[in-house]
Amino acid sequence: MDALTRHAMAAKDGSRSALDQLVEATYEQVWRLCAKLVDDQCADDLAQDTFIRAVGALPNFRGEASARTWLLTIARNACMDELRTRTRQRRRDSSLAAGLSVKQAVTDDIGQEIGVADVLSCLAPERREAFVLTQLLGLSYQEAAAICSCPPGTIRSRVARARAELLEALARERQDRTVSDGSYANVTSMYPITRHMTS
């Protein structure tokens, strides 16, 4: 049993210090997952929601999975709930805004900034979470599979498709942008997390 799981088990038994240690040791990774699956602006709230949910779920924690996997599963579920809420809100807004489709709204939003977060947002949620868990947070395919409740092979497939889509998006970005000063001539320098995919 790893240290985080021991903290979780002790917290389950009522140890406040163990709970504090668990939160302190895992907060950054939980926050990063929330930021990449949704956005930086609501990552604090989603991380807090994750730990509130975790405290409520502690009585049922049996240590069958590691505490890190357990917490990231809770964080993923919190993010999916937020994304579903946003999707419903966008649909309501689009039905009220004459002539403005959801697709156009999303396209306009993506075009506002250049960055990895924008490119990641173009991925389907299941591909984005697989990519973030394995390529950005450094989890194994087995750990990511446990969090996403699917086989490791499915995670591998989703990551491969995500990589392909990211490369296509970056290629389109390079073709579509008119660069006068050459500052974006090397697309891979703008997106360090995908640099290895172009080699």
Side-chain angles (χ1 to χ4, degrees):
M1 183 181 294
D2 61 66
L4 289 179
T5 305
R6 284 196 298 272
H7 290 325
M9 296 301 289
K12 175 183 177 179
D13 293 336
S15 171
R16 179 57 188 264
S17 63
L19 178 60
D20 290 343
Q21 288 176 310
L22 178 66
V23 172
E24 184 177 345
T26 57
Y27 184 85
E28 181 181 355
Q29 200 163 47
V30 167
W31 189 94
R32 287 177 63 202
L33 178 62
C34 295
K36 297 302 182 184
L37 290 186
V38 184
D39 59 46
D40 290 356
Q41 288 72 33
C42 68
D44 288 333
D45 290 339
L46 287 169
Q48 183 177 2
D49 183 31
T50 295
F51 287 106
I52 290 171
R53 293 184 187 201
V55 169
L58 265 175
N60 298 320
F61 180 68
R62 297 188 297 274
E64 295 172 353
S66 71
R68 180 173 77 158
T69 298
W70 175 71
L71 276 170
L72 291 178
T73 300
I74 294 172
R76 173 199 179 254
N77 291 339
C79 291
M80 294 302 103
D81 288 345
E82 172 66 17
L83 291 172
R84 280 190 287 269
T85 298
R86 290 185 180 197
T87 298
R88 288 193 296 269
Q89 183 64 51
R90 277 200 303 267
R91 287 175 180 163
R92 284 195 298 268
D93 291 347
S94 68
S95 66
L96 297 174
L100 180 62
S101 69
V102 173
K103 181 178 180 181
Q104 184 61 48
V106 172
T107 301
D108 290 345
D109 182 63
I110 290 172
Q112 288 176 359
E113 291 184 32
I114 300 170
V116 173
D118 295 324
V119 179
L120 287 176
S121 71
C122 297
L123 297 174
E126 68 276 4
R127 293 178 188 173
R128 181 167 65 238
E129 67 188 9
F131 185 87
V132 168
L133 287 168
T134 59
Q135 306 304 302
L136 300 185
L137 297 185
L139 273 65
S140 69
Y141 288 108
Q142 289 74 19
E143 289 172 314
I147 290 168
C148 298
S149 301
C150 65
T154 300
I155 294 295
R156 290 181 185 278
S157 175
R158 289 175 181 175
V159 170
R161 291 177 182 177
R163 284 177 173 161
E165 289 181 23
L166 287 171
L167 288 173
E168 288 175 10
L170 295 175
R172 284 194 303 272
E173 183 72 34
R174 180 168 37 197
Q175 291 173 351
D176 293 345
R177 291 189 61 79
T178 302
V179 181
S180 58
D181 60 2
S183 60
Y184 296 118
N186 184 355
V187 172
T188 58
S189 68
M190 297 166 51
Y191 304 96
I193 64 163
T194 58
R195 189 177 303 143
H196 67 284
M197 294 188 283
T198 60
S199 58

